[in-house]
Each structure stands twice: as structure tokens, then as C-alpha cells.
Amino acid sequence: MTATPYFFLHLPRTAGTTLNAILRDTFGRDEILTVYSEQEYREFREIEAARLDAVRLIQGHLFLEQYDPPRIYSRAVSVFTFLREPVARLVSEYQFLKSWPDNHMYDFLNSGNVTFREYLTGMDPRLKYRGKNFMTRFYTGMDFDLAAFPDEAFEKARYNLEHVFGFVGIQERFDESLLLLGDFLGLKSLCYEKRNVLAPQSRETVSEDDLELARELNAADVQLYAFARDLFERRVTALGRLFSLKVREFELINAKYQKMCSAISAELVGEQKGPVILPK
């Protein structure tokens, strides 16, 4: 392997399926190692060195085996990731898992009629870490007391975002992030359709009390997101007006691209139905 492979540290519900479709336009099928499904987790628990030698991009909801410097499968990797406002991400994750039958949590959430509040507070092994500063855990690999603010992990997560990871994007500023990521990865094509999006009819209203509870239980994640957003803003500001014009040009081009894709899809398959639009 002549170059350090990239690793997409994919925080769930941060437009990762959309991004993965874009990545496939640059990286060849044999150059990508994808680990998302239960079958893929089993299949790629261990990988032969010869298989890894051909890999340029690893992607999945995977923790790193080492964060500083970052390593996975005993290989050094160049990490990129996207963050999203933590409470909105949790609401999206819960509603997605409860709506899409092809995921491992669907039966558990629906047969037990698990509410969003229970999703946040539950201590069942399937729920324990999901609603309690998961982002901070994901960006450090550290274990910590779920009932207290994780000071050490929080500081480490901030350090990793600023000094260890190669690129950090913001889901709410996806187009700007994508243009910057394009430079980082050398992407050949950036136009996209939004994929794996929860359909409007699958979205439920969450009470203000539950949203406030989510903010309380994820105080470290809320602060970490604010930190990452500020980092991103400083980087964009430093690029100046020319970058703003580049973003605007891309938005206009991609709007036409999305309109064309929508028209083609409507002609070929008709109106999309189901809980998820353009699922995985």
C-alpha cells in the first residue's frame, strides 16, 4: 500500500449514506471496505493483509481501535467525519430505527413500544450508550460514567477533532463541507441526491420535555458540537469570499442535478413510498 487509506468515521444520521454514494464515484469497488450490516461486521472482523493492501477507503459505524494516532485493522488511517446537532441527530436516529424494517433495532423498538424518552434513558444493553453522550464516546473510544459529565473524554474528543482527524464536516452545512472534503479526498464528482432520508409521514413530534431531557443527558455532545461548528466556521471564514461564491455556484448546479434525478426517478419508478426515501 503506497498511501495511508482514508477512514470515514461515520456517526449515524449525519448524511453518511448520501456521502457514501458520492464517494463511490471516486473510489473503485475493490478500493472500498464497507462495514455496516451485521453480515459485514462478521465477515470483516478479521481481514487478510493482502485484501487491506488494495483498500483506499474504509467506511462504517466503527470505532477506531486507536485514536491518536488513528488506526483500524492495525493500519494507520486518515480520518474524516461529520457532526450533527446532537438532539436532532438522536431524534432522527430513533425515528429512523423505529420506521425502517431492515435494521436490527426495528423489532426491539416496536414490539416493546419503546418511547423516545425510554430510548434516551434505557439501560438495556441495546440502549445503554445511545442517548447519553454517544458522540463523545464515538470520537474517543473512551468509557465513562453515564450519570456525570465526562470531562476527560470531552477534552480528548475536542483534541481529536482539532488535531488528530484529517477533516471534520458539519451535516447542517453539508454543501460547504462537501466542497472542502472534495479537496481533502480529491473527489471527482460532488453532485448528489439526498439518500436514506426519513419520509415526512414517518416523523413524529417530540415533546419539549423530552428534547430538554436529551440536552441534559447529552451535555458533553452539545458542547462538542458547538466546538466543532466553531472550528468549521473559522476555516470557512479564512477561505474568504471566493469560497462563498464557489459554494453558491455548486448549490445552483446541484439543485438542477437533483431536479433531473427526481424527474428520472418519477418516470422510471413512479412516486416513492415507504418510510425512507432512497434507502441504503
Side-chain angles (χ1 to χ4, degrees):
M1 184 166 52
T2 59
T4 301
Y6 297 106
F7 177 55
F8 179 21
L9 186 56
H10 182 182
L11 182 69
R13 306 308 297 164
T14 56
T17 303
T18 299
L19 179 57
N20 281 334
I22 298 169
L23 296 175
R24 287 195 294 271
D25 289 335
T26 294
F27 297 92
R29 182 184 298 271
D30 293 337
E31 295 177 322
I32 302 176
L33 179 66
T34 299
V35 189
Y36 284 107
S37 69
E38 185 175 346
Q39 178 182 343
E40 288 166 341
Y41 279 109
R42 290 197 302 267
E43 181 180 355
F44 299 126
R45 189 177 299 275
E46 294 182 359
I47 306 175
E48 294 181 358
R51 169 72 174 92
L52 276 174
D53 286 343
V55 170
R56 294 178 58 209
L57 170 66
I58 303 169
Q59 56 190 23
H61 299 307
L62 299 169
F63 283 72
L64 288 159
E65 63 188 36
Q66 177 180 306
Y67 280 76
D68 186 13
R71 297 179 69 85
I72 194 166
Y73 293 119
S74 300
R75 301 276 179 121
V77 287
S78 181
V79 177
F80 62 97
T81 193
F82 276 64
L83 283 77
R84 180 179 182 181
E85 196 286 314
V87 175
R89 192 197 70 81
L90 277 169
V91 170
S92 176
E93 180 180 76
Y94 166 74
Q95 295 184 351
F96 175 80
L97 292 174
K98 198 173 181 182
S99 299
W100 190 41
D102 297 332
N103 78 81
H104 68 289
M105 292 289 287
Y106 179 83
D107 289 337
F108 170 72
L109 294 176
N110 286 284
S111 63
N113 196 27
V114 176
T115 66
F116 181 60
R117 179 169 285 257
E118 291 167 339
Y119 187 77
L120 295 172
T121 60
M123 296 303 289
D124 181 284
R126 288 162 288 192
L127 298 177
K128 182 177 179 181
Y129 296 108
R130 289 181 175 270
K132 309 167 192 71
N133 290 314
F134 176 79
M135 185 187 298
T136 301
R137 183 181 304 278
F138 193 61
Y139 289 138
T140 62
M142 296 174 65
D143 200 5
F144 47 77
D145 182 356
L146 298 174
F149 190 95
D151 293 286
E152 182 181 359
F154 172 71
E155 291 301 328
K156 183 60 178 174
R158 292 206 312 176
Y159 180 85
N160 288 342
L161 291 178
E162 185 171 11
H163 299 291
V164 177
F165 298 169
F167 175 83
V168 175
I170 301 295
Q171 190 257 7
E172 290 87 350
R173 299 178 67 172
F174 187 76
D175 286 352
E176 294 164 279
S177 298
L178 183 58
L179 289 176
L180 294 174
L181 181 63
D183 291 337
F184 177 70
L185 296 177
L187 297 180
K188 298 176 182 177
S189 175
L190 297 179
C191 288
Y192 65 89
E193 293 180 271
K194 293 181 180 179
R195 295 177 177 271
N196 216 36
V197 178
L198 197 63
Q201 67 270 17
S202 300
R203 301 175 187 177
E204 306 171 6
T205 301
V206 180
S207 72
E208 281 300 323
D209 286 344
D210 284 356
L211 293 175
E212 181 57 33
L213 176 63
R215 283 188 282 270
E216 292 173 3
L217 292 175
N218 295 275
D221 282 5
V222 170
Q223 292 189 35
L224 186 64
Y225 172 76
F227 174 78
R229 188 186 56 206
D230 289 345
L231 277 179
F232 185 82
E233 179 60 38
R234 290 201 299 271
R235 182 176 184 187
V236 168
T237 299
L239 293 173
R241 185 170 176 271
L242 286 179
F243 181 71
S244 298
L245 293 174
K246 185 178 179 181
V247 172
R248 179 57 180 157
E249 180 183 30
F250 173 71
E251 289 173 341
L252 292 172
I253 293 171
N254 197 57
K256 294 178 181 178
Y257 176 82
Q258 291 180 344
K259 186 176 180 179
M260 178 185 66
C261 290
S262 179
I264 293 173
S265 178
E267 180 71 22
L268 294 177
V269 301
E271 182 183 358
Q272 290 192 55
K273 298 180 181 179
V276 179
I277 300 170
L278 293 177
K280 297 179 183 180

